[in-house]
Amino acid sequence: MLIGTIFFFSKAINNVDCENSTFYVVAKNRLEGETIEFYNETPNASTWKWDFGDNSKNEYEKNTTHIYKKSGKYRVTLTLNDNCITYKDVVIKSVGDLSKKIKVPEIIAPKVVKVGEEVLFDYYYSGTDIFSWEWSFGESSRLDNTDSNPTHIYRTPGIKKVTLIINGNINSITSLTILVKPQEQAVTQAYAEDVEIKPLKLRKGPAQIDPAEEFAMTLPVVPPSSKKKQKESQKSASTAPSISEEQFELLLHQVAKQSKTKDDFGAFLCDDFKIPVLINDSKIMPFDEFCKKLIGKTLKISKIRLTTNENNCIINVEITYKIKKHLIWIND
């Protein structure tokens, strides 16, 4: 009985939950000739048998890779501990499918620029017989330029959507979002001129009023109400509270855990929740949408940069981070 009991508990501990067993497929494009990764993290699994559905040899590692030589739909089957079977269908595309995408022009321009800075726009296009270019730089709804490599100077800050149409083909229109930062204010210094100050000589005779005192007597008296309004205006123009990048990062983690919301950033943003956020040097979105994007995710932030204005209000955020998905850190 003792041996039977030990055998029973051993089987129970090493038993695989077949209903919840699965595996993960990691690939950039899922193209023929591309190396595709397969991962399995099923608890209590001790043996693995991978069948990739293309009559190739089976693999017996926990995590493995495979290359499909032809496009098509394949059923990948994983057998765990010789008795638990799970599968997924994988669609492999041909390189020709990717070449169709390359025919859509790609805009080449910096992701972040400044007001007043001259920006050069270029493009990549695999097609031939190019005869027209239609550029719109995102500051108006009109056509801005018809040169092949135009330049543009932005006059207003914010998120701008640049679009390009080649040869009038609106079906292959392409766009790029860039962030235009406010122009940095130049620091000016005032220099006092050397002035020779001579002592004031009064004429002999009766007592005279000090000229400065006489001038002060001509100034109007400021009523108390005006002083009160002046104090209130100074108070309204007070600066926003300071927050370090580490504190800002902590708040973002709490937003992801749903213990904080965008409203907790209000004092630091001067209640402007539409400030632009540059994500991983590739995406730009308003701050309130960015907060929604983070909810429920596990974050690993590697860089945060905050830009403030003269009132210390944060006017844009640059962040580089990854999220954890299926035990792997990936770009969000």
Side-chain angles (χ1 to χ4, degrees), residues 255-258 291-299 324:
V255 169
K257 295 177 181 178
Q258 301 185 54
C291 288
K292 294 179 182 178
K293 180 183 177 69
L294 296 182
I295 293 176
K297 296 179 179 178
T298 303
L299 310 178
K324 194 172 186 180

Side-chain angles (χ1 to χ4, degrees), residues 10 19 39 43 45-46 83 117 138 152 156 164 170 182 191 193 201 232 234 254 259 267 272 274:
S10 176
E19 293 184 0
Y39 293 89
S46 57
N83 61 3
E117 175 185 354
H152 183 71
T156 58
L164 169 63
I170 61 174
Y191 296 93
E193 296 181 357
K201 296 181 179 180
E232 289 178 352
Q234 291 176 351
Q254 292 174 330
S259 60
D272 182 7
K274 295 296 182 182

Side-chain angles (χ1 to χ4, degrees), residues 1-14:
M1 289 181 62
L2 180 61
I3 296 174
T5 303
I6 294 174
F7 178 77
F8 173 78
F9 280 105
S10 176
K11 293 291 288 183
I13 292 173
N14 295 320

Side-chain angles (χ1 to χ4, degrees), residues 101-109 111 121-127 135 148-149 162-166 172-176:
K101 293 183 180 180
I102 298 177
K103 290 185 178 180
V104 176
E106 177 184 353
I107 298 174
I108 301 174
K111 298 292 192 304
F121 291 90
D122 201 350
Y123 68 96
Y124 172 75
Y125 184 63
S126 64
W135 293 89
S148 59
N149 300 110
V162 183
T163 60
L164 169 63
I165 300 175
I166 288 182
S172 62
I173 185 173
T174 188
S175 63
L176 175 69

Side-chain angles (χ1 to χ4, degrees), residues 48-114:
W48 302 265
K49 178 183 176 182
W50 296 90
D51 182 351
F52 301 107
D54 59 349
N55 297 322
S56 61
K57 292 182 180 180
N58 296 331
E59 295 289 340
Y60 298 92
E61 300 293 332
K62 177 181 178 181
N63 303 318
T64 186
T65 61
H66 187 68
I67 297 176
Y68 287 97
K69 297 180 180 180
K70 295 182 179 180
S71 61
K73 184 178 181 180
Y74 298 92
R75 173 157 293 187
V76 181
T77 305
L78 172 62
T79 304
L80 301 169
N81 293 4
D82 297 327
N83 61 3
C84 185
I85 299 176
T86 182
Y87 64 87
K88 284 185 179 181
D89 291 329
V90 178
V91 177
I92 303 299
K93 296 172 289 186
S94 68
V95 178
D97 296 332
L98 183 64
S99 64
K100 293 179 182 179
K101 293 183 180 180
I102 298 177
K103 290 185 178 180
V104 176
E106 177 184 353
I107 298 174
I108 301 174
K111 298 292 192 304
V112 181
V113 300
K114 294 179 182 179

Side-chain angles (χ1 to χ4, degrees), residues 66-320:
H66 187 68
I67 297 176
Y68 287 97
K69 297 180 180 180
K70 295 182 179 180
S71 61
K73 184 178 181 180
Y74 298 92
R75 173 157 293 187
V76 181
T77 305
L78 172 62
T79 304
L80 301 169
N81 293 4
D82 297 327
N83 61 3
C84 185
I85 299 176
T86 182
Y87 64 87
K88 284 185 179 181
D89 291 329
V90 178
V91 177
I92 303 299
K93 296 172 289 186
S94 68
V95 178
D97 296 332
L98 183 64
S99 64
K100 293 179 182 179
K101 293 183 180 180
I102 298 177
K103 290 185 178 180
V104 176
E106 177 184 353
I107 298 174
I108 301 174
K111 298 292 192 304
V112 181
V113 300
K114 294 179 182 179
V115 171
E117 175 185 354
E118 186 177 65
V119 184
L120 173 64
F121 291 90
D122 201 350
Y123 68 96
Y124 172 75
Y125 184 63
S126 64
T128 57
D129 299 329
I130 305 174
F131 56 84
S132 72
W133 303 264
E134 299 175 48
W135 293 89
S136 178
F137 300 119
E139 286 196 299
S140 65
S141 57
R142 66 177 185 272
L143 175 67
D144 292 316
N145 202 296
T146 56
D147 295 334
S148 59
N149 300 110
T151 59
H152 183 71
I153 298 176
Y154 284 98
R155 295 169 295 177
T156 58
I159 298 174
K160 311 295 182 181
K161 185 177 181 181
V162 183
T163 60
L164 169 63
I165 300 175
I166 288 182
N167 294 348
N169 184 8
I170 61 174
N171 293 324
S172 62
I173 185 173
T174 188
S175 63
L176 175 69
T177 303
I178 66 176
L179 171 62
V180 181
K181 291 184 176 182
Q183 190 176 27
E184 295 181 355
Q185 296 181 351
V187 178
T188 58
Q189 294 181 342
Y191 296 93
E193 296 181 357
D194 294 332
V195 179
E196 183 182 359
I197 301 177
K198 297 180 179 180
L200 179 65
K201 296 181 179 180
L202 299 179
R203 297 189 301 273
K204 293 181 179 181
Q208 302 177 31
I209 300 177
D210 187 345
E213 182 180 351
E214 183 179 10
F215 174 74
M217 293 173 61
T218 64
L219 296 177
V221 178
V222 180
S225 59
S226 299
K227 293 182 180 180
K228 183 178 180 181
K229 290 181 181 179
Q230 185 177 6
K231 289 183 179 180
E232 289 178 352
S233 63
Q234 291 176 351
K235 185 177 180 181
S236 62
S238 60
T239 59
S242 297
I243 182 172
S244 67
E245 293 173 351
E246 291 78 10
Q247 293 171 324
F248 198 89
E249 177 180 346
L250 177 61
L251 282 179
L252 291 178
H253 281 288
Q254 292 174 330
V255 169
K257 295 177 181 178
Q258 301 185 54
S259 60
K260 297 289 185 181
T261 66
K262 67 175 179 63
D263 297 325
D264 293 287
F265 294 85
F268 310 108
L269 309 181
C270 296
D271 294 322
D272 182 7
F273 298 105
K274 295 296 182 182
I275 66 167
V277 181
L278 177 63
I279 305 170
N280 294 333
D281 294 324
S282 59
K283 301 177 183 177
I284 301 176
M285 66 173 56
F287 183 78
D288 53 356
E289 293 185 15
F290 177 62
C291 288
K292 294 179 182 178
K293 180 183 177 69
L294 296 182
I295 293 176
K297 296 179 179 178
T298 303
L299 310 178
K300 183 167 69 174
I301 300 174
S302 57
K303 184 187 78 171
I304 289 183
R305 182 179 179 184
L306 308 176
T307 303
T308 58
N309 61 12
E310 63 276 5
N311 291 326
N312 205 39
C313 302
I314 298 175
I315 56 176
N316 73 268
V317 180
E318 299 176 41
I319 181 170
T320 303

